[in-house]
Amino acid sequence: MLMIFSNNPVVSDKYPKLTRLADSDVHGVFAAVRDAVHKGARLVSHPLSGSVKPNESPYKSVAVDIVTGEWALDFKSLQIIEDAITTLAKLPRKHREYTAQMLEDFRVIDLDLIESAL
């Protein structure tokens, strides 16, 4: 079963039945994905997809396949999400004010990236 972890309301509006909307920053989205992987989910999209660094965009969506039935930890998915969390932690936090247009642009970019993965 496909599920999208996202903090992007545009993704949630377009895919309401597939999206688990996180009321958090990118780190919170990555942590939720990591928790799902620990429960048997497999990554469908890469958490560091696109050319926008995860500390530059306030929005991120990651698609996973929720495995039903026999559970098994997917070590490749776990390594990828753990590496993404480590990468995000290494990047300096951006403390800038985004205009409404900039936020809309980031939402559209994130939507486009997740749609290309789907």
Side-chain angles (χ1 to χ4, degrees):
M1 175 179 80
L2 185 68
M3 179 176 287
I4 303 168
F5 288 88
S6 181
N7 64 347
N8 184 346
V10 173
V11 171
S12 180
D13 289 346
K14 186 152 187 188
Y15 301 102
K17 293 182 180 182
L18 298 178
T19 305
R20 180 171 291 165
L21 188 62
D23 186 22
S24 65
D25 58 7
V26 173
H27 184 272
V29 172
F30 285 0
V33 171
R34 181 196 54 215
D35 292 348
V37 169
H38 276 285
K39 294 176 183 174
R42 294 186 180 113
L43 288 174
V44 172
S45 66
H46 197 287
L48 298 177
S49 63
S51 61
V52 179
K53 293 179 183 169
N55 67 329
E56 292 177 350
S57 174
Y59 301 106
K60 190 62 187 174
S61 300
V62 181
V64 300
D65 181 23
I66 303 294
V67 180
T68 56
E70 191 172 322
W71 176 86
L73 180 61
D74 182 46
F75 287 102
K76 183 175 182 183
S77 291
L78 182 60
Q79 185 65 54
I80 291 169
I81 191 62
E82 289 288 355
D83 288 348
I85 291 170
T86 300
T87 298
L88 180 59
K90 288 179 185 177
L91 296 171
R93 293 217 181 243
K94 300 284 184 172
H95 298 287
R96 66 173 82 163
E97 295 294 320
Y98 294 115
T99 66
Q101 183 59 53
M102 290 168 73
L103 290 172
E104 179 60 24
D105 289 345
F106 281 127
R107 288 190 290 266
V108 169
I109 290 167
D110 180 61
L111 175 64
D112 187 55
L113 287 170
I114 199 64
E115 286 185 323
S116 69
L118 299 178

